[in-house]
């Protein structure tokens, strides 16, 4: 069963507008969440993270929101730029003995000029 | 180098053959992870090393898969009797500590014919 789900495989947004990428999780032991960005033929690169003790974290154009009761997080990119076009992965981790990340299946974001 | 490197970048092999995939982590990073990414999916955890020892190998799919990190730096993922279902991109990541940000390499694309 998928513990981290990204239900939208793709999203297209006009340059300058807001991009909203969504992610749901089922494992209540997850307490740290991350977003990674991936370009073709490259490994994922870390974008932004949030701890479960917070409900929002902001870094420049990128903001992550966490709704623990709904087990839902979202990544907002504003304003979107063509260089943001990539696959975005949501990932989660628990503070227990497991250190590995559990990833969603990704959302391909295309920002149209 | 500055980042995580993986060799080869591409590997094509025949069903039943043995393959080795290499990962050079960022210098000084004690934690090393292997993930596997199948088409249309996010990376899936395989194994985690803290130093020279495998701290968690719960993600290895079966006993055909094995990984080593004999000197606490370079790691090799070994796959025996390859099957067509092993075809995927194998990603390596390293982090300064077990809770630090994971930096990913570009991956090795394995194709089993």
């Amino acid at each position: 069963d998928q513990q981290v789900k990204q239900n939208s495989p793709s999203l297209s947004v006009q340059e300058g507008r807001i991009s909203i990428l969504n992610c749901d999780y089922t494992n209540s032991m997850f307490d740290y969440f991350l977003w990674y960005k991936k370009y073709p033929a490259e490994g994922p690169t870390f974008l932004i993270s949030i701890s479960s003790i917070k409900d929002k974290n902001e870094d420049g154009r990128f903001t992550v929101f966490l709704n623990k009761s709904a087990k839902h997080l979202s990544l907002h990119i504003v304003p979107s730029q063509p260089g943001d076009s990539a696959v975005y992965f949501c990932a989660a981790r628990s503070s227990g003995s497991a250190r590995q990340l559990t990833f969603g299946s990704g959302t391909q974001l295309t920002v149209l000029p | 180098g500055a980042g995580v490197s993986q060799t080869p970048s591409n590997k094509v092999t025949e069903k039943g053959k043995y393959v080795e995939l290499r990962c050079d982590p960022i210098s000084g990073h004690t934690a090393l992870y292997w993930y596997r990414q199948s088409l249309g999916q996010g990376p899936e955890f395989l194994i985690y090393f803290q130093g020279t020892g495998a701290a968690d190998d719960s993600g290895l799919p079966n006993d055909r898969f094995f990984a080593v990190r004999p000197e606490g730096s370079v790691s090799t993922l070994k796959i025996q009797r390859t099957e067509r279902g092993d075809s995927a991109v194998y990603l390596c990541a390293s982090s300064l500590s077990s809770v630090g940000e994971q930096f990913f390499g570009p991956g090795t694309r394995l194709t089993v014919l």
Side-chain angles (χ1 to χ4, degrees):
Chain A
D1 64 334
Q2 271 192 299
Q3 298 186 63
V4 177
K5 297 179 186 178
Q6 293 177 256
N7 292 318
S8 297
S10 63
L11 174 68
S12 290
V13 172
Q14 208 67 38
E15 181 179 6
R17 306 295 291 269
I18 185 171
S19 295
I20 300 176
L21 296 98
N22 293 302
C23 177
D24 297 290
Y25 63 96
T26 57
N27 188 339
S28 54
M29 297 301 291
F30 289 147
D31 57 8
Y32 194 72
F33 304 89
L34 309 90
W35 285 93
Y36 279 81
K37 176 179 178 179
K38 185 180 184 305
Y39 293 115
E42 295 183 10
T45 55
F46 170 76
L47 196 56
I48 192 169
S49 63
I50 188 167
S51 164
S52 59
I53 62 173
K54 295 186 173 182
D55 55 16
K56 177 182 174 180
N57 188 26
E58 194 172 351
D59 183 2
R61 297 186 296 114
F62 302 91
T63 302
V64 56
F65 295 91
L66 175 62
N67 182 333
K68 279 200 310 181
S69 60
K71 293 191 176 68
H72 177 83
L73 62 155
S74 61
L75 174 68
H76 292 210
I77 307 173
V78 55
S80 302
Q81 300 173 353
D84 296 330
S85 297
V87 177
Y88 288 78
F89 290 102
C90 171
R93 191 182 75 197
S94 68
S95 60
S97 59
R99 291 289 181 252
Q100 69 269 26
L101 298 174
T102 301
F103 285 84
S105 55
T107 296
Q108 171 70 58
L109 173 67
T110 302
V111 180
L112 305 167
Chain B
V4 178
S5 63
Q6 292 185 246
T7 53
S9 54
N10 279 285
K11 176 71 177 177
V12 180
T13 190
E14 293 180 344
K15 179 175 179 292
K17 298 288 189 182
Y18 168 82
V19 296
E20 289 190 351
L21 312 179
R22 176 187 168 108
C23 171
D24 280 84
I26 293 172
S27 178
H29 280 195
T30 60
L32 185 145
Y33 305 79
W34 283 97
Y35 293 83
R36 176 169 74 173
Q37 184 178 10
S38 300
L39 195 62
Q41 301 297 317
E44 292 180 290
F45 168 76
L46 295 176
I47 186 169
Y48 153 59
F49 287 90
Q50 182 58 47
T52 60
D56 184 350
D57 64 358
S58 61
L60 295 177
N62 52 61
D63 60 6
R64 294 186 299 105
F65 288 75
F66 189 70
V68 295
R69 195 185 184 201
E71 297 176 0
S73 178
V74 170
S75 176
T76 304
L77 178 66
K78 309 180 181 197
I79 310 174
Q80 297 178 322
R81 304 183 305 280
T82 52
E83 299 177 356
R84 292 195 181 88
D86 299 335
S87 296
V89 175
Y90 288 81
L91 293 163
C92 175
S94 70
S95 62
L96 198 55
S97 69
S98 62
V99 295
E101 177 190 335
Q102 294 182 28
F103 294 84
F104 283 81
T108 293
R109 179 174 296 279
L110 175 66
T111 303
V112 182
L113 301 177

